[in-house]
Amino acid sequence: MYCDVLEAAYYLGYASPASLYRLLKAGLLKEHVEMHYGQVLLRMVSKGKSPTLAKKVRSLVNFRSGHELDIAIKPLEWQHLLLFHAMLLLPYSQVM
């Protein structure tokens, strides 16, 4: 699943995307970045042996043990989210 920075911050439980933007600017999330029509998208799931975005961010920022960053999305929810993202990225004429 790919999310823009604002959505990724929401799914990770952050109040704002500032921490993610700081990590992106420092180049620490390179393996999770994909460009799509000039938009920065973050890969939320693991690819190969790389950790999920949640685990990577948790290892890079000060983590408070009282807040859990576990993202448990069921497979059917992934399909709905992927379809939603595809509809956002396609021109309106291709969706209808």
Side-chain angles (χ1 to χ4, degrees):
M1 175 177 134
Y2 292 94
C3 293
D4 64 17
V5 179
L6 188 61
E7 288 173 315
Y10 171 78
Y11 286 131
L12 295 175
Y14 287 106
S16 77
S19 295
L20 290 180
Y21 281 121
R22 189 180 73 244
L23 294 172
L24 282 169
K25 187 175 180 180
L28 298 172
L29 300 177
K30 287 180 191 175
E31 65 271 7
H32 291 277
V33 174
E34 297 286 336
M35 295 297 290
H36 186 72
Y37 293 109
Q39 182 181 15
V40 175
L41 298 176
L42 295 172
R43 185 174 28 82
M44 301 293 287
V45 296
S46 61
K47 183 177 183 181
K49 293 189 178 202
S50 70
T52 63
L53 182 65
K55 288 180 181 177
K56 179 72 172 186
V57 170
R58 185 187 312 189
S59 72
L60 296 171
V61 297
N62 290 334
F63 177 68
R64 296 183 187 152
S65 61
H67 187 268
E68 186 60 39
L69 289 178
D70 185 32
I71 299 176
I73 299 178
K74 297 177 180 93
L76 186 58
E77 291 178 54
W78 283 102
Q79 293 171 357
H80 290 293
L81 287 170
L82 291 174
L83 178 62
F84 175 73
H85 283 286
M87 289 174 61
L88 288 177
L89 297 174
L90 289 175
Y92 181 75
S93 59
Q94 291 181 352
V95 175
M96 293 298 162

